Amino acid sequence: MSKELKNGLPPTPPTNFLRGIIDADIAAGTYANRQDAQGESLPQVVTRFPPEPNGYLHIGHAKSICLNFGLARDYGGRCHLRFDDTNPEKEDQEYVDTIIDSVKWLGFDWHHDGHPHLYYASNYFDFMYAGAQALIRAGHAYVDEQNAERMRETRGTLTEPGIDSPWRNRPAEESLRLFDEMRAGTHADGTLILRAKISMASPNMNLRDPAIYRIRHATHHNTGDKWCVYPMYSFAHPIEDALENISHSICTLEFEDQRPLYDWVLERLAEAGLLQPPAPRQYEFARLNLTYIVTSKRKLKQLVDEKIVDGWDDPRMPTLVGLRRRGYTPEAIRLMCERTGASKHNSWIDYSVLEGALRDDLDPKAARAVAVLNPLKLIIDNFPENADATETACSAPVYPMGHPEHDSAVRRFPISKELWIEREDFMEVPSKGYFRLFPGNRVRLRYGYVVECTGCDKDEQGNITAVHCTYFPDSKSGTPGSATYKVKGNLHWVSAVHALQAEVRLYERLFIDPHPDAGGKDFKAALNPDSRQVLQAYLEPTLQDARPGDLFQFERHGYFVADQLDSTADKLVFNRAVTLKDSWGK
């Protein structure tokens, strides 16, 4: 195994701009000698992964997970898992549960020094409400009665300032009363909204009196019906970071323009005596833009709701549950995230980088097996009917040479008079350069005997139904006589008598366009009609004990996983995770 793949990660973390920032903060002691509310010492690096529980995590989230948890790990700090659950209409406990499971599956944990650090934004609603009241008292917020459409109309443009709300200079006492009425449920959704009072002429649109609290009469998955006013994410996020003593709040680039608002909220609440220094700082990195997928939660949900895919865990989906079911390993995903690094500049990463990481992870550790996916019967006419299965059995290594634990492991499987071979391995009239079976040609049955093709059977329509051959008893692989036979073709096969029947699902990319939703395109127009092919295949009998989640390399065909939901002892189902080589670039 290469050094690069030790534990699925490079041995020395690559340098990036975030590590430079953290190194400088540690050298300056920016977050040194801190204590939490209980008087416990805090590490100098505290990060967080803050998903909203309104959908399933996808491969883009994996980049943020690996970055936040990885930085905390490498600097001896801690990373919090926090649910930014401020939008009750779209959030659900189902999403909370799957997010927790996915983060664990990727190999990360939010415990530090024996203490769990799993949090919910909703746990801070009382503090956030008090913080909003403090802003009103200080003249930094007001209750507005304009509807959403009017607020958009008066927001201005990139070249023109916004227009002040008629209620911008409303007395603080009146705004406090209306804000309390909002909380009490006196007003309907959309009739009142709390806005920060900053500057309608700011060149940064995010500072033009942004909304910080709105009315939502909806049941919350965590707080039930206690609240009918909820903070906006841009207001809640910096407060959550401050209350959790986050040092480095690492976000994707789309939040860069919101950083001034992030700092403004923390500064105003510190002035009110509600927060103590040092304040967390927000830093932005380029999100993972992977070709041939969509990551919009709305579009992913559309694929599920319209039954274009078979659920969030469909192996064609870019969700972590889908990739897991497809056969992707956490080590491969972590490796891909490390290889793509952290940058301040947006760029596209080709999907083949993810596939390459999976091949590199599985190649040294996936057990080998033979599967015939498009079967054609091969009959060895001179093979004895009553042959001793023990004497004629063939053997092959279970793992590739150099495997650290199982280099000497051997699998044994029988050969018989009738075999299954791949249909493409026979041509009655061979094309130029064809070295597999055709009348008069000799090939080696991989791990077995040399055979010579004598002809084939056809049905009334002229379709080939079986191929005939004779074998040479002294040509078995691993025996002294095998060296005297020189052949160019080497065929995979399984014994027809002993083979296991299985359903094999061949998955390809869900989209044929590398940028299926770019520029407002209809992403469904780019769906790949051949993204899944279901075959009835034959496998070597050593796979009879395969369990859901077990990974194998089917020689010649790629890496496959026993399906986590559908594969049972009575019905084997395998999903192809990735081919042996990248065929999309050709």
Side-chain angles (χ1 to χ4, degrees):
M1 184 180 296
S2 69
K3 291 182 179 180
E4 183 180 23
L5 295 175
K6 185 178 180 181
N7 299 320
L9 294 170
T12 302
T15 301
N16 58 51
F17 78 98
L18 291 170
R19 292 182 182 276
I21 291 169
I22 294 174
D23 289 340
D25 282 340
I26 291 175
T30 305
Y31 297 101
N33 304 315
R34 296 188 302 160
Q35 293 183 334
D36 61 19
Q38 289 72 43
E40 297 289 334
S41 296
L42 290 163
Q44 294 194 60
V45 177
V46 182
T47 61
R48 82 288 171 272
F49 173 61
E52 181 182 0
N54 65 347
Y56 283 67
L57 297 183
H58 54 65
I59 186 64
H61 293 112
K63 181 66 172 286
S64 182
I65 294 171
C66 291
L67 193 57
N68 279 287
F69 279 94
L71 287 170
R73 173 201 62 208
D74 294 344
Y75 284 94
R78 74 188 192 207
C79 182
H80 299 179
L81 176 60
R82 179 209 303 150
F83 291 99
D84 269 315
D85 53 349
T86 60
N87 192 358
E89 295 166 310
K90 295 183 178 180
E91 297 159 357
D92 193 271
Q93 186 63 39
E94 172 191 356
Y95 301 133
V96 171
D97 294 340
T98 185
I99 289 170
I100 289 175
D101 183 65
S102 291
V103 174
K104 286 181 178 178
W105 174 72
L106 272 179
F108 297 107
D109 182 48
W110 44 89
H111 287 74
H112 182 78
D113 289 341
H115 301 290
H117 293 281
L118 188 152
Y119 303 101
Y120 295 83
S122 53
N123 291 342
Y124 311 129
F125 280 172
D126 287 308
F127 184 96
M128 291 175 187
Y129 189 82
Q133 289 176 312
L135 293 181
I136 296 173
R137 293 190 192 97
H140 296 310
Y142 61 96
V143 173
D144 195 349
E145 296 182 32
Q146 295 180 110
N147 60 30
E149 181 179 357
R150 181 57 183 163
M151 287 178 61
R152 282 193 296 268
E153 292 172 351
T154 59
R155 194 182 185 204
T157 66
L158 293 175
T159 57
E160 297 178 349
I163 300 172
D164 285 358
S165 164
W167 289 276
R168 193 172 195 267
N169 295 314
R170 165 174 267 155
E173 294 76 12
E174 186 177 342
S175 282
L176 283 170
R177 175 179 58 79
L178 290 172
F179 191 43
D180 286 342
E181 290 178 4
M182 289 167 60
R183 177 180 181 176
T186 306
H187 301 278
D189 290 7
T191 56
L192 297 176
I193 194 162
L194 183 67
R195 298 177 69 177
K197 189 176 182 180
I198 306 178
S199 171
M200 292 301 292
S202 173
N204 186 332
M205 303 284 281
N206 294 290
L207 297 181
R208 294 185 183 178
D209 290 11
I212 58 175
Y213 254 96
R214 79 284 201 199
I215 304 171
R216 286 289 184 273
H217 289 85
T219 300
H220 190 279
H221 77 96
N222 192 32
T223 59
D225 296 318
K226 178 181 178 181
W227 296 90
C228 60
V229 289
Y230 293 94
M232 304 297 288
Y233 175 82
S234 56
F235 178 68
H237 184 215
I239 293 175
E240 297 159 28
D241 284 349
L243 292 178
E244 293 177 21
N245 298 295
I246 301 302
S247 58
H248 302 82
S249 181
I250 301 169
C251 308
T252 46
L253 279 178
E254 61 262 37
F255 294 99
E256 186 173 27
D257 289 342
Q258 292 192 22
R259 191 193 327 142
L261 177 57
Y262 180 99
D263 294 338
W264 183 91
V265 170
L266 295 179
E267 289 166 4
R268 300 293 82 76
L269 294 181
E271 291 170 357
L274 296 179
L275 297 176
Q276 302 300 315
R281 293 292 304 274
Q282 177 179 302
Y283 303 95
E284 305 85 20
F285 71 98
R287 63 184 295 175
L288 177 64
N289 295 310
L290 205 62
T291 58
Y292 295 100
I293 65 171
V294 296
T295 54
S296 160
K297 289 182 180 178
R298 177 181 62 82
K299 293 173 182 176
L300 293 176
K301 189 173 186 300
Q302 189 175 348
L303 291 172
V304 173
D305 291 345
E306 296 181 10
K307 301 189 184 304
I308 295 171
V309 296
D310 297 330
W312 290 97
D313 63 351
D314 186 298
R316 293 165 293 180
M317 290 280 275
T319 54
L320 294 184
V321 290
L323 290 167
R324 181 179 183 179
R325 190 174 175 189
R326 173 82 170 256
Y328 276 82
T329 62
E331 294 86 356
I333 293 175
R334 296 200 304 265
L335 178 60
M336 185 275 294
C337 291
E338 286 287 343
R339 286 176 171 175
T340 54
S343 169
K344 288 286 287 184
H345 305 287
N346 280 317
S347 62
W348 284 95
I349 304 299
D350 194 82
Y351 196 85
S352 61
V353 175
L354 175 60
E355 294 176 323
L358 181 60
R359 292 188 189 98
D360 289 346
D361 179 51
L362 291 182
D363 180 63
K365 68 183 185 184
R368 272 42 174 176
V370 173
V372 176
L373 306 187
N374 188 14
L376 174 65
K377 183 67 67 69
L378 175 65
I379 302 172
I380 308 176
D381 292 316
N382 65 332
F383 198 87
E385 297 279 0
N386 57 350
D388 188 319
T390 302
E391 292 183 4
T392 60
C394 301
S395 60
V398 177
Y399 296 97
M401 292 184 61
H403 191 283
E405 299 176 5
H406 307 288
D407 194 23
S408 60
V410 173
R411 66 189 203 269
R412 293 179 62 81
F413 42 89
I415 189 169
S416 59
K417 189 179 184 70
E418 295 188 357
L419 311 176
W420 293 113
I421 62 171
E422 294 289 349
R423 188 168 292 273
E424 66 182 35
D425 286 348
F426 173 77
M427 292 183 69
E428 188 175 13
V429 180
S431 58
K432 184 177 180 180
Y434 187 82
F435 298 120
R436 285 169 263 183
L437 276 178
F438 57 86
N441 192 45
R442 293 183 181 183
V443 300
R444 178 173 293 282
L445 299 176
R446 188 167 173 82
Y447 310 121
Y449 298 91
V450 171
V451 297
E452 181 175 318
C453 182
T454 57
C456 62
D457 298 333
K458 299 180 181 180
D459 61 18
E460 295 179 355
Q461 288 74 41
N463 300 310
I464 297 171
T465 57
V467 177
H468 290 264
C469 68
T470 57
Y471 89 117
F472 300 91
D474 61 343
S475 65
K476 187 179 180 183
S477 294
T479 65
S482 65
T484 62
Y485 291 85
K486 305 298 181 182
V487 295
K488 294 183 177 180
N490 199 320
L491 305 189
H492 291 83
W493 57 274
V494 294
S495 168
V497 178
H498 306 91
L500 303 172
Q501 281 192 278
E503 180 178 298
V504 171
R505 301 165 180 171
L506 303 182
Y507 289 102
E508 294 286 357
R509 299 173 189 179
L510 187 57
F511 298 98
I512 56 176
D513 185 335
H515 309 291
D517 58 350
K521 290 185 292 189
D522 177 9
F523 72 102
K524 292 194 295 182
L527 285 166
N528 180 5
D530 300 317
S531 62
R532 180 175 65 179
Q533 182 182 6
V534 180
L535 305 175
Q536 296 302 315
Y538 291 100
L539 316 179
E540 70 175 59
T542 60
L543 291 174
Q544 63 183 350
D545 294 326
R547 295 293 178 263
D550 287 351
L551 283 154
F552 301 90
Q553 184 197 102
F554 288 176
E555 298 182 18
R556 175 178 179 172
H557 296 299
Y559 295 96
F560 291 74
V561 63
D563 188 88
Q564 295 177 2
L565 297 181
D566 298 335
S567 190
T568 66
D570 297 326
K571 180 189 177 184
L572 292 174
V573 178
F574 285 89
N575 302 326
R576 184 171 66 190
V578 67
T579 55
L580 292 178
K581 296 181 179 180
D582 179 17
S583 60
W584 277 75
K586 297 180 174 58

